[in-house]
Amino acid sequence: MEKTLSRREKERLKRREYILDVALELFSSKGYHNVTMHEIAKKSEFAIGTLYTFFKNKEELYRSLLIHKSDAFHTQVEEVLDTPGDEVEKLRNYVLTLRTIFQKNADCIRLYFAETRGSCFNPKAGLDEEMKSRHRKILQRLAAVFEQGIKSKRFRPLGEPTYLAHCLDSLCNLHLFLWLENPTDNPYPEDPDKILNILFYGLLAS
């Protein structure tokens, strides 16, 4: 049975989430190393002592921020991949879900990919392997969609499901990086088939 939170506990969670949102804004605009706990406290309008009741230092705050956000991202993606249905539609919904997440959380995505891709803003935070582990679980679910599609003869067996999952993940990430760099010239595709058709049909004309 789910525990019912008291008013005080709800208020504490609300404060914690607000502090994380302020920290995300500062980390994204200035970089991890250029932000202090005092600056986060000032912008969030809390006393510095209040911050330390939630997080023992900046590294823990940073870690909590990325874990909190990545859990929300992964939950959305897992729900799409675990939904019963046609494999092609699952892949389309996967690409569309990533697009929605990217557009609504651009600042956090920059931090997230810094961790999962190995170019960490803060190597001391100890998040690299934990974030990669979460990412691997998504790839495993994505590979399962390709595997089921091959078994049902929806897809041709052109490669190992894990390899295909990495290919699609990389294609989505490429569009993401281009969009983050210049959203005007490189909009993330609204039609998921613009990405998926690279896998579905390739480059050679029939």
Side-chain angles (χ1 to χ4, degrees):
M1 183 176 179
E2 187 176 349
K3 179 184 177 182
T4 301
L5 297 178
S6 67
R7 182 188 60 79
R8 181 175 293 181
E9 289 171 325
K10 290 178 181 178
E11 182 62 29
R12 179 175 173 80
L13 288 175
K14 186 177 179 180
R15 288 185 179 187
R16 184 179 187 275
E17 188 162 345
Y18 179 68
I19 291 170
L20 291 176
D21 287 341
V22 169
L24 171 60
E25 181 182 346
L26 289 171
F27 289 151
S28 299
S29 63
K30 300 180 66 174
Y32 172 84
H33 292 292
N34 296 319
V35 177
T36 66
M37 289 288 276
H38 281 279
E39 189 173 2
I40 297 171
K42 181 179 179 180
K43 189 169 181 62
S44 62
E45 299 182 343
F46 286 118
I48 186 67
T50 301
L51 261 65
Y52 284 112
T53 66
F54 290 98
F55 313 101
K56 67 180 181 180
N57 51 39
K58 188 173 72 167
E59 286 82 3
E60 183 179 282
L61 189 157
Y62 177 79
R63 174 187 178 85
S64 298
L65 168 64
L66 288 184
I67 293 297
H68 173 69
K69 292 294 184 179
S70 70
D71 282 346
F73 298 161
H74 289 149
T75 296
Q76 293 178 60
V77 174
E78 287 170 1
E79 287 176 355
V80 169
L81 295 177
D82 291 343
T83 301
D86 177 78
E87 291 82 15
V88 172
E89 287 306 310
K90 280 190 180 185
L91 296 181
R92 287 191 177 115
N93 289 331
Y94 168 79
V95 175
L96 287 173
T97 299
L98 289 184
R99 178 177 179 270
T100 299
I101 291 172
F102 295 163
Q103 292 183 333
K104 289 184 176 180
N105 301 276
D107 289 344
C108 191
I109 291 293
R110 288 186 177 92
L111 293 178
Y112 173 84
F113 272 92
E115 289 295 343
T116 57
R117 298 303 170 192
S119 177
C120 302
F121 285 105
N122 174 35
K124 296 180 181 178
L127 273 176
D128 190 60
E129 185 54 39
E130 189 166 352
M131 297 294 283
K132 286 180 179 178
S133 174
R134 282 167 161 74
H135 187 231
R136 282 195 294 268
K137 290 178 181 178
I138 293 296
L139 289 175
Q140 289 169 0
R141 281 179 160 84
L142 189 57
V145 175
F146 282 107
E147 183 176 12
Q148 182 58 41
I150 291 171
K151 287 181 179 178
S152 65
K153 301 190 184 301
R154 192 78 167 92
F155 303 143
R156 288 186 292 164
L158 296 180
E160 290 292 327
T162 300
Y163 173 77
L164 296 173
H166 279 277
C167 286
L168 179 55
D169 180 61
S170 297
L171 285 171
C172 292
N173 291 341
L174 171 62
H175 283 83
L176 165 63
F177 292 140
L178 292 174
W179 173 71
L180 287 174
E181 186 177 73
N182 191 331
T184 302
D185 293 341
N186 302 303
Y188 197 87
E190 293 188 17
D191 182 358
D193 285 346
K194 288 188 176 181
I195 294 176
L196 291 170
N197 284 348
I198 299 173
L199 286 179
F200 291 162
Y201 301 111
L203 294 175
L204 292 179
S206 59

